Structure formats: C-alpha cells, structure tokens
Amino acid sequence: MTSQPDIRDLSLEDLESYLRSVAVKPFRAQQIFQWIYKKGALGFDAMSNIPRELRDRLKQDFVLQSHEITQKLIAQDGTTKFLFCLYDHEKIESVLIPTPTRTTACISTQAGCKFGCKFCASGIGGFKRDLSCAEIVTQVLHLKQEALKHQRPLSNIVFMGTGEPLDNFTNLMKAIRTINSEQGINIGARHITISTAGVVPKIKELADEGLQVELAISLHGYDNPSRNVLMPVNRKYPFDELIAACREYVRKTHRQITFEYILIKDVTCTPHAVSSLKKAFKGLICKMNLIPYNPVSEFDHKTPSREEMIDFRNSLEDSGVHATIRTPRGKDVNAACGQLRHLHNK
Ligand code: SAH
C-alpha cells in the first residue's frame, strides 16, 4: 500500500483542518476540492491556482490515485462496464448506464462479497476487503468523465456493484457526503440509491443519518424459508425482522422503499410467492423492482419466460403491490453484479 493517504479520503472539513495544521489558509480547501471533483484533476501539479509550495506539500502528504482500467466493455445499448485494478491488484467493477433521461453509475463498495447469495456472481470468490472512501469516490469520478461522452452528464448513483454497502458503513457514508456535497461531485441525495441485502441494524442506523438517499432492499425471497435458501444473511436477519425494519425506516424517514426481487423460474416467480408478498407488504408504502434472473453458470436457476414474468407482475399489481419489471441493461457485457470480476478471476 502507498504510505500516504489518498486526499479523496478527506471531507472538505478534514482538508480544512489539515491546511490549518500546516499553517495554510483553509479557503484553499475549496480550491483543491474544485480541482479534484469539478475539474477532474489527476495530479497536484494540475492545480494551477494553488501555490507551488502548497502543491509540493500536498504531494508529500497525500496521493491522488486513479484506478487503473483493466478492462472496459461497451454494450450495444451504451452500458459501459469497467473492471478497475486497485493498488493491491484487487479488481472491482463499476458500470455506467446511460438512458435518454438519466445517466447512472453503479458503484462497488467492497472487493468481493461475504454474503454468498445463491444467484449472484459477486460472492463466488469470497470476500477480500472493504473499499476506502477514496476508492468509492474515485469510481464515481471515472464514470463522471466517461458520462461526458453521452447525451447527459452523470445524474444518478446506485450502490449496486460488488459488495454490501451497509457492511462498509463508515466509508460509504463518508463517500456519499463527498458525492452529495456541493463542493464535491454535487449529486443530489435523492439521486443516490443504497442497495442492501438486509443488514437490519444498519438499516436502523441509516434511518438516523438524516440523509435523503433512496434505500433499496434486495429481498429476493417471499418468506423466511425461501429467503433462507437464496440469501444466507436471512439466517442472521430473518425476513420478518427485515420487513419490520423497513416499516420503521419508512415511519422515521417518510421515504418510500424499493424492493428488488429476482425472478427465478419455479423458485421466486410463483403464485404462492405473490400471496406471501401481498401479506408481507400489507400497509407498507413501497414499490417492487422485478429483475429477470441473469444466468450465472455456477447456479442452477432458470429465467422465467416473458409471459410468466408479466403474469407475476400483473398478479402483484392486482394484489395492490406496485411492481415493474426491470429491463436488463448491458447483457452482452456481463453487467449483472460481479459477473465481469468473477470471469476475470476464474
Ligand atoms: N449487497 C447489496 C448490493 C449489491 S446489488 C445488495 O444485495 O443489495 C445486488 C443486486 O444485483 C441484486 O439485488 C440484484 O438486483 C442484482 N443481481 C445479482 N445477481 C444477479 C443475477 N444473477 N441476475 C440478475 N440480477 C442480479
């Protein structure tokens, strides 16, 4: 590891206090932030309105590390998948998803994943380590740059890449504050989505953070037994406790929750699942994102037919649960969670 910290690990306030500690006026922090987050400077030498002496000092005390691009794949629909290599050779994925109305970055929060969901490529190679705040923010900066090639600038962030965001809570919160801050990347909190496999205590903590971010829950099961099979995390934080934490979150934050639900033939896409979900969601304001299962060779699941998925959606809607089927993006570049990293490590 490099011995100096990455300057992107610092909030504006951190940078101001660092400057004070080296007897430099704190207003320089705003200028440095502008260089990093607005102008995308890749080194301290580019910061032309910063006195040379201070630039040298910054170079001594910090690094400004870009991610090395191991692979970049552009799908026919414009979805662009990056495989980045970190200082310790760990690989992480980030995906840019341009649409006519928004440009979304899908960001990783950990190298590997310890949650081992039985449909997801991210968990297959196990867990390596948490990403630092700088490593999270730097993915966003790379994708912001890439987004300039598309119709719209980067507008949305989803933490749906490799890893469990709420299992790296401190670094995630710090990164979100820089991504959200006006002096930072300046993406509105409502345009930032945290997706979780259901780490119940952290959902409670998130409710107390006072951030206006969106919360998505990877539900993928319709009751306790079905979720136990697909998501080992359910043994620790069972289905009913998770739904109760969601109700509490909505009550506290007055924000709606999105549930993600993978459609797997004869497993999650069944009439029994509909009646169970209807019961679980009673009185809860939420919407469901139905995600067609994207085959991963290690698992034995099948994607339902288009008709089966539409029937499933319609019966949920008939039961009063608002549901939409997500259009798969970037299929030709293995864009589902962890697939590219997994293929690379194989
Ligand atoms: N750990 C967090 C963040 C990762 S996002 C979480 O679980 O929410 C994980 C998302 O990737 C899942 O909700 C699902 O939408 C998607 N995903 C993973 N494997 C998939 C597969 N084989 N097919 C389709 N979507 C998949």
Side-chain angles (χ1 to χ4, degrees), residues 119-121 159-161 163-165 195-197 218 220 231 260 262 291-294 296 326 336-337 339:
F119 48 81
C120 180
F159 288 102
M160 295 185 183
E164 166 54 43
S195 180
T196 178
S218 288
H220 307 318
M231 301 180 73
E260 295 165 274
I262 281 200
I291 304 157
Y293 170 67
N294 193 344
V296 174
R326 187 192 284 171
C337 193
Q339 290 191 356

Side-chain angles (χ1 to χ4, degrees), residues 263-275:
L263 296 173
I264 304 174
K265 190 176 170 66
D266 301 331
V267 178
T268 62
C269 189
T270 64
H272 174 58
V274 174
S275 55

Side-chain angles (χ1 to χ4, degrees), residues 7-248:
I7 196 164
R8 293 173 184 134
D9 271 324
L10 274 58
S11 66
L12 189 67
E13 294 73 34
D14 294 339
L15 189 54
E16 283 170 352
S17 33
Y18 159 80
L19 291 171
R20 267 192 218 99
S21 77
V22 295
V24 172
K25 294 237 162 61
F27 81 91
R28 294 284 180 199
Q30 297 232 8
Q31 291 180 323
I32 297 168
F33 250 54
Q34 276 215 338
W35 278 109
I36 300 174
Y37 297 109
K38 308 278 189 231
K39 302 182 195 164
L42 297 176
F44 297 108
D45 283 327
M47 304 180 177
S48 52
N49 59 352
I50 305 291
R52 154 108 2 239
E53 218 175 89
L54 176 54
R55 276 187 261 161
D56 288 342
R57 176 89 211 207
L58 291 173
K59 265 194 263 179
Q60 267 176 34
D61 291 346
F62 300 103
V63 291
L64 186 57
Q65 187 121 32
S66 309
H67 295 330
E68 194 184 296
I69 301 170
T70 300
Q71 216 175 347
K72 178 179 164 184
L73 298 170
I74 306 176
Q76 277 172 2
D77 63 11
T79 301
T80 306
K81 184 147 197 169
F82 288 90
L83 187 68
F84 292 120
C85 182
L86 307 179
Y87 70 90
D88 57 355
H89 307 295
E90 276 306 325
K91 308 281 187 302
I92 54 164
E93 299 181 13
S94 323
V95 189
L96 188 74
I97 309 156
T99 75
T101 52
R102 58 172 74 170
T103 298
T104 303
C106 177
I107 301 296
S108 292
T109 51
Q110 294 178 320
C113 185
K114 45 178 105 145
F115 286 72
C117 299
K118 300 286 181 276
F119 48 81
C120 180
S122 285
I124 295 171
F127 174 73
K128 299 296 182 206
R129 66 173 176 87
D130 281 337
L131 300 188
S132 67
C133 164
E135 287 171 328
I136 296 172
V137 167
T138 302
Q139 293 172 64
V140 179
L141 286 173
H142 276 283
L143 297 198
K144 183 184 164 187
Q145 189 61 29
E146 181 71 18
L148 298 177
K149 298 180 186 160
H150 294 274
Q151 244 170 319
R152 300 186 172 274
L154 184 62
S155 58
N156 293 66
I157 307 287
V158 295
F159 288 102
M160 295 185 183
T162 303
E164 166 54 43
L166 296 189
D167 189 46
N168 186 11
F169 196 78
T170 308
N171 294 346
L172 175 76
M173 287 304 125
K174 207 165 173 196
I176 287 181
R177 293 212 147 83
T178 297
I179 293 166
N180 177 223
S181 132
E182 245 175 78
Q183 283 91 0
I185 302 177
N186 196 17
I187 291 182
R190 292 197 162 99
H191 292 174
I192 301 174
T193 301
I194 299 175
S195 180
T196 178
V199 185
V200 166
K202 294 293 173 187
I203 294 174
K204 294 182 177 160
E205 237 177 274
L206 184 65
D208 294 328
E209 282 283 322
L211 281 170
Q212 302 282 305
V213 293
E214 300 291 322
L215 179 62
I217 306 285
S218 288
L219 195 64
H220 307 318
Y222 48 84
D223 60 9
N224 214 39
S226 66
R227 202 166 188 270
N228 268 342
V229 173
L230 290 171
M231 301 180 73
V233 63
N234 195 71
R235 291 168 202 272
K236 192 155 183 195
Y237 306 117
F239 188 89
D240 292 339
E241 274 180 36
L242 174 59
I243 300 290
C246 292
R247 288 182 191 278
E248 179 66 8

